[in-house]
Amino acid sequence: MAATVNSSTLLSHPTLNPSTFVNGEASASSFTTTTLFSGEISSEYQIHNAEGIDNMRAACKLAARVLDYAGTLVRQSVTTNEIDEAVHQMIIEAAAYPSPLGYGQFPKSVCTSVNECMYHGIPDSRKLQDGDIINIDVAVYLNGYHGDTSKTFLCGNVDDATKKLVKVTEECLQLGISVCKDGAPFQNIGDRICELAAKFGYGVDRFVGHGVGTVLHSQPLIFHDCSNKPGTMVEGQTFTLEPILTMGSTEFKTWEDNWTILTADGSPSAQFEHTILITSTGAEILTQS
């Protein structure tokens, strides 16, 4: 999940305070150090030894299984509350905990963002309808480590233009991952994603991914739009990539629940997310199902 604006707006708007964000896209392209570290984003990069990597693989494998199961529930007349309840039960039965639940007072175990909802959608009694798209964002806490992943699913007969948006968004995620390896600049991620999105006329939202491991949200912040993000990747490091593409404007509005973020013009948006591990030759997708 993600958010963007300048740091002065971030401080004055309760919705955009980093301490209220879930699943790690709390970010703005111009965050100040003071703003960042007054919230829930740790300054500690998540770089793991062999034992930590094994624990990350286990947490991410569970997150991937839960997300796949959640996807099987997507059909007409199913409510997002029902998806949340099923996800919660599966995570608890695996002796894990749903990372979003209670994080910054988030009230549910999963985020469900339908159609123009960009992220942080709170499950409720709304029934899915034919032609909807829904992003389901799953994060689990298992044996002291978080795994974080999301996918946009199609419900019934989705129109071709929206299906194309979903397809290209997933391709952008894979393209961003393809440039990741030890020593690679972080800015390569956004450059490649923006290049592909621009070919289809899609907007790339300024929301970010994040380091993830023993804490849910940490440095580095991963920008998916074109930026001059400093720094390079390090072997053994884990973080998320989670681009959000829109068919229309990238401007957004926030509901009074201080969580739900929607496109300002009502156009559809899509998102995909993986947690990855940086290796000497590339990146291991830890949440690959």
Side-chain angles (χ1 to χ4, degrees):
M1 304 169 145
T4 159
V5 284
N6 59 44
S7 56
S8 60
T9 304
L10 189 71
L11 288 169
S12 64
H13 195 303
T15 304
L16 301 178
N17 186 311
S19 67
T20 66
F21 286 165
V22 144
N23 289 353
E25 303 100 22
S27 119
S29 57
S30 56
F31 268 141
T32 64
T33 300
T34 302
T35 301
L36 268 175
F37 302 145
S38 66
E40 296 289 339
I41 299 178
S42 170
S43 61
E44 180 180 355
Y45 284 60
Q46 303 295 293
I47 302 173
H48 309 278
N49 59 20
E51 181 181 2
I53 290 172
D54 285 344
N55 286 329
M56 281 298 297
R57 286 180 176 136
C60 289
K61 183 177 180 180
L62 174 60
R65 288 206 314 270
V66 173
L67 181 60
D68 284 347
Y69 171 62
T72 68
L73 304 177
V74 173
R75 58 184 179 273
Q76 295 177 57
S77 298
V78 170
T79 69
T80 50
N81 263 340
E82 289 171 328
I83 294 173
D84 174 75
E85 291 165 2
V87 164
H88 180 91
Q89 187 64 30
M90 183 175 181
I91 293 172
I92 296 303
E93 288 178 354
Y97 186 83
S99 303
L101 183 60
Y103 182 84
Q105 300 183 352
F106 191 79
K108 298 288 185 173
S109 296
V110 68
C111 296
T112 52
S113 302
V114 180
N115 297 332
E116 74 275 18
C117 183
M118 300 166 81
Y119 65 99
H120 292 177
I122 299 175
D124 58 20
S125 60
R126 180 193 185 278
K127 294 181 179 180
L128 293 176
Q129 301 175 13
D130 186 47
D132 282 346
I133 60 172
I134 176 173
N135 177 269
I136 301 176
D137 194 326
V138 170
V140 305
Y141 186 63
L142 177 67
N143 297 327
Y145 290 78
H146 296 273
D148 193 1
T149 185
S150 85
K151 184 182 297 186
T152 298
F153 297 94
L154 309 179
C155 181
N157 300 300
V158 176
D159 66 82
D160 289 342
T162 304
K163 284 195 289 188
K164 185 67 173 180
L165 172 68
V166 172
K167 180 176 183 291
V168 173
T169 304
E170 185 171 20
E171 290 172 353
C172 280
L173 172 62
Q174 296 298 334
L175 191 60
I177 293 172
S178 73
V179 300
C180 294
K181 66 178 180 178
D182 182 46
F186 286 112
Q187 72 178 63
N188 288 358
I189 296 171
D191 290 346
R192 296 302 297 277
I193 289 173
C194 284
E195 181 181 3
L196 179 59
K199 289 182 179 179
F200 295 92
Y202 298 139
V204 180
D205 290 305
R206 295 160 289 173
F207 309 131
V208 302
H210 53 94
V212 62
T214 55
V215 296
L216 181 58
H217 300 144
S218 80
Q219 290 284 359
L221 298 179
I222 306 301
F223 293 89
H224 308 106
D225 60 342
C226 297
S227 70
N228 294 318
K229 165 71 176 176
T232 57
M233 305 169 206
V234 177
E235 185 175 1
Q237 185 176 48
T238 50
F239 54 82
T240 69
L241 279 74
E242 43 193 299
I244 300 174
L245 270 59
T246 61
M247 196 177 294
S249 171
T250 59
E251 297 302 313
F252 61 88
K253 59 184 179 181
T254 308
W255 277 3
E256 291 183 0
D257 61 24
N258 286 339
W259 282 104
T260 308
I261 308 294
L262 307 106
T263 57
D265 61 3
S267 63
S269 69
Q271 181 185 28
F272 285 81
E273 174 185 12
H274 275 310
T275 298
I276 67 169
L277 166 69
I278 298 302
T279 71
S280 59
T281 59
E284 178 182 342
I285 303 176
L286 299 179
T287 46
Q288 185 77 57
S289 58

